[in-house]
Amino acid sequence: MNTTDGHRKHARNERNERDELDDRDELDEQDELDDPEERDEREGKDEEGGRGERNGRGEPGRVSAAEALRGAVEQLTELLGRAPETVSALTPTETGWTARIEFVEVERVPETTSVLASYEVALGHDGHLLGYERGKRYTRAQIDDKDGG
């Protein structure tokens, strides 16, 4: 490469860098002029300032089933201080999601005599925990009858 080609390439790179900086400055200035709600909507943020997720139908603020499940497990694990045994249900509702998560309450030997508890968890559309309640307790070896008792 001769010197002239090197100078041209260097000048072209400098112009590209200046153009990129100008573009970023224009976006920043536009953000300052925009209505904050319009900017949040454009950036995909919800009312609380967080990122609103979209489900397969493109609805803002509603997390997918997998995200709701992860959120339920993470949040309840943090509150109870132990990891779940399994998730036995996840259902969409008008207000978000309902999940049923099983936790070991009392570990015993043999394991088949350990006591488990089923927790009903309510989540909002955004995946945040709204509430939970411990349901039935049972031993690991117990088998559900057909009536759910």
Side-chain angles (χ1 to χ4, degrees):
M1 176 186 330
N2 64 32
T3 309
T4 306
D5 289 339
H7 289 298
R8 285 183 190 148
K9 185 175 182 181
H10 181 70
R12 193 171 39 246
N13 286 340
E14 284 182 351
R15 275 194 309 275
N16 288 341
E17 288 175 12
R18 271 197 314 272
D19 290 344
E20 287 177 20
L21 289 173
D22 289 344
D23 290 345
R24 278 191 230 137
D25 288 343
E26 283 179 27
L27 288 174
D28 291 342
E29 288 172 11
Q30 184 64 37
D31 279 348
E32 291 172 11
L33 297 174
D34 281 348
D35 177 28
E37 288 181 15
E38 288 177 12
R39 184 173 57 247
D40 287 348
E41 186 176 314
R42 183 177 66 241
E43 293 174 359
K45 292 183 181 175
D46 59 20
E47 296 85 31
E48 289 84 32
R51 292 272 172 202
E53 301 295 330
R54 295 178 182 270
N55 67 4
R57 294 183 303 270
E59 297 171 14
R62 181 154 188 134
V63 296
S64 69
E67 291 166 322
L69 193 57
R70 275 192 296 274
V73 167
E74 288 173 7
Q75 293 172 78
L76 199 55
T77 297
E78 183 177 338
L79 289 170
L80 299 178
R82 55 185 172 261
E85 186 73 14
T86 188
V87 176
S88 55
L90 179 68
T91 308
T93 65
E94 287 185 21
T95 58
W97 299 92
T98 301
R100 188 170 42 249
I101 305 174
E102 318 298 321
F103 285 85
V104 174
E105 294 262 305
V106 180
E107 287 192 48
R108 293 187 178 154
V109 176
E111 281 187 17
T112 55
T113 61
S114 293
V115 177
L116 282 79
S118 181
Y119 285 81
E120 294 290 327
V121 181
L123 301 161
H125 289 294
D126 59 0
H128 286 93
L129 183 73
L130 300 176
Y132 71 94
E133 182 177 357
R134 184 177 72 187
K136 72 176 192 165
R137 293 176 67 173
Y138 56 95
T139 62
R140 185 183 300 273
Q142 185 177 338
I143 299 173
D144 286 342
D145 60 14
K146 292 191 186 263
D147 296 328

